[in-house]
Amino acid sequence: PVACLPVCGILMGIGYALCPSTMQGGTVEGLKEIIGFFLVKAGGALIDNMSWLFAVGVAVGMSDDNDGTAGLAGLVSWLMMTKLLNPAVVGTLTGVATDAVDLSYSKIETQFIGILAGIIGAMCYNRFKTAKLPDWLSFFSGKRCVAIVTALVSIVVAAVLFFVWPIVFGALVALGKGIMSLDAVGAGIYAFFNRLLIPFGLHHALNNVFWFDTIGIGDLTHFWAGETSADVTWSLGMYMSGFFPCMMFGIPGAALAMVQCAKKEKRKIVIGLVGSAAVAAFVCGVTEPFEFAFMFLAPVLYLVYSLLYGIFTTITVALGFRAGFSFSAGLTDLVFSAQLPAAAKTMLIIPLGAAAFVVFYLVFYFAITKFNLKTPGREDEEADFAEVDKNAKLANNDFTAIAAAVLEGLGGKENVESLDNCI
């Protein structure tokens, strides 16, 4: 679902540049402004419906074979739960006026519920995609029964959420208010936990509290709606801005430290590994290739890495740099978000970035050498590493032969059940 967001940022960034009145108010006049208005609304079509995208995307992504039937099941689950738990239905069930229903139910159509619906859809698909029914119901066997089962399961989950969701929502609100009350320090704490939760995939749950309108914050959605801090109760963009110096410059600095700390015979391969990851982080804010290259090899270093995010986010927010992203904190989003009203002190990215590069480099270099951390290129168990390096170079374009070698390395076709690449 998140992969849908870059196009939103590009369309809305260009659209706002062509037609500022789209977000600031005023009459849309002339061909240029009409085109800008059209682009802004096109980008908003996805951002405004992210919960649907999460329901479908998570379901497809978590299904065994990424089948579209799972996506349909995820959407069925989302529709079922959000319909059964909307304020009007809850009011009728409890005998309370719609406008007096607990606030949590008015926030049921969120990415948080979308993710839950996607999980339900995927689980039902994986469990019942090959189900065999009696002959007189055979038409509904297999994949055709997935959506039916999902609907039934979602009714049960909705009944549970009827009692649980207000408690969960209340906890999320308390978390959000607690961090917001700490201002720049709170933004740093959020950034620290954002990175710390990545190995478990739980950072998306935390992001929903601050980036989207799960509990009434929605830093990302308000930023891209063309609003400013005057329209909200916090400094708009503060939960995104701190990631830019870390991802664009901090990661390249840390990557350079890893290269220099690698054994000489392994440096070329390490450059290929973390160098390309650093480029991905700088250009588009994709950090996982870098993070997963060392988080399991040196978990203590990953903790330090997360702390650096928290520190730099606190400093960045305190200095007033404001930028937003539709996808992640890379150069692409920085350029397009700079067109929006909430953007501020954009050129501060240069001194902030330089500081992040130097600090990340020094901290990583010191930690790796001082504690002999096994970052890429420093492993002990690869006795044949140099020979593999020599033989692995692509001397020609015979990709079929290369693929055959890779397949052999995986144990042959009999050893492969499925293969995927998170690109």
Side-chain angles (χ1 to χ4, degrees):
V2 178
C4 300
L5 288 176
V7 70
C8 302
I10 293 172
L11 292 173
M12 297 179 81
I14 296 174
Y16 179 76
L18 295 175
C19 183
S21 60
T22 300
M23 299 180 181
Q24 293 182 346
T27 305
V28 177
E29 297 178 333
L31 180 61
K32 186 181 80 168
E33 291 197 353
I34 289 174
I35 293 174
F37 173 82
F38 185 80
L39 293 177
V40 168
K41 294 303 178 184
L46 294 180
I47 284 185
D48 294 342
N49 293 291
M50 277 302 297
S51 53
W52 291 56
L53 298 179
F54 270 99
V56 175
V58 170
V60 173
M62 294 189 67
S63 63
D64 289 338
D65 51 9
N66 305 131
D67 193 273
T69 305
L72 175 63
L75 182 58
V76 166
S77 181
W78 188 87
L79 292 170
M80 188 72 71
M81 289 191 293
T82 55
K83 183 65 176 178
L84 292 175
L85 295 173
N86 72 38
V89 174
V90 172
T92 300
L93 294 173
T94 59
V96 176
T98 300
D99 57 2
V101 168
D102 190 287
L103 176 64
S104 62
Y105 296 108
S106 65
K107 298 292 184 180
I108 201 67
E109 295 187 9
T110 65
Q111 286 78 8
F112 193 91
I113 298 298
I115 292 172
L116 176 61
I119 293 172
I120 293 171
M123 291 178 65
C124 290
Y125 173 81
N126 293 338
R127 174 65 179 81
F128 295 100
K129 64 182 178 181
T130 57
K132 300 294 183 182
L133 299 179
D135 289 344
W136 59 283
L137 287 175
S138 60
F139 176 82
F140 296 105
S141 292
K143 293 180 180 179
R144 287 192 180 97
C145 77
V146 171
I148 299 172
V149 174
T150 300
L152 298 175
V153 171
S154 298
I155 291 174
V156 175
V157 174
V160 174
L161 285 175
F162 179 81
F163 300 100
V164 173
W165 177 240
I167 299 172
V168 173
F169 182 81
L172 293 175
V173 170
L175 171 66
K177 286 183 176 179
I179 289 182
M180 286 179 67
S181 67
L182 298 175
D183 199 41
V185 174
I189 292 172
Y190 158 67
F192 166 70
F193 281 108
N194 171 280
R195 292 297 96 180
L196 199 63
L197 291 172
I198 278 185
F200 312 100
L202 296 175
H203 59 299
H204 287 302
L206 184 63
N207 292 342
N208 271 280
V209 177
F210 295 95
W211 291 354
F212 304 109
D213 192 19
T214 300
I215 63 169
I217 301 179
D219 201 40
L220 187 153
T221 49
H222 285 283
F223 193 102
W224 287 94
E227 299 177 19
T228 66
S229 298
D231 301 306
V232 296
T233 57
W234 67 96
S235 181
L236 192 55
M238 67 185 294
Y239 299 111
M240 297 181 286
S241 304
F243 291 96
F244 283 91
C246 297
M247 292 182 178
M248 291 178 62
F249 298 95
I251 286 179
L256 177 60
M258 286 185 179
V259 170
Q260 292 189 337
C261 291
K263 297 175 182 179
K264 289 184 179 180
E265 67 272 17
K266 302 180 182 181
R267 283 183 182 171
K268 287 185 178 180
I269 289 182
V270 175
I271 289 173
L273 177 65
V274 300
S276 59
V279 172
F282 178 83
V283 175
C284 53
V286 175
T287 62
E288 283 84 356
F290 175 76
E291 291 157 346
F292 279 90
F294 77 96
M295 66 169 59
F296 299 115
L297 291 171
V300 174
L301 184 60
Y302 189 79
L303 175 62
V304 173
Y305 168 78
S306 302
L307 284 169
L308 288 175
Y309 265 79
I311 293 168
F312 266 93
T313 294
T314 299
I315 295 171
T316 300
V317 171
L319 291 177
F321 171 83
R322 293 293 181 271
F325 46 77
S326 59
F327 176 63
S328 191
L331 179 64
T332 306
D333 272 301
L334 177 64
V335 170
F336 287 112
S337 73
Q339 310 293 325
L340 300 176
K345 300 184 179 180
T346 304
M347 295 310 295
L348 265 180
I349 190 63
I350 296 175
L352 283 169
F357 183 92
V358 172
V359 171
F360 272 68
Y361 169 81
L362 291 176
V363 170
F364 267 65
Y365 189 90
F366 172 80
I368 292 170
T369 55
K370 177 69 175 179
F371 303 105
N372 191 28
L373 301 177
K374 303 302 180 184
T375 50
R378 292 174 61 83
E379 304 89 342
D380 296 326
E381 67 278 5
E382 298 180 27
D384 299 324
F385 198 97
E387 186 175 349
V388 171
D389 178 28
K390 180 180 67 178
N391 296 330
K393 293 177 181 176
L394 303 185
N396 55 59
N397 292 327
D398 188 358
F399 296 114
T400 301
I402 296 168
V406 172
L407 183 60
E408 181 183 356
L410 293 174
K413 65 180 181 179
E414 296 80 9
N415 195 47
V416 179
E417 184 175 289
S418 65
L419 185 65
D420 192 16
N421 179 26
C422 179
I423 202 65

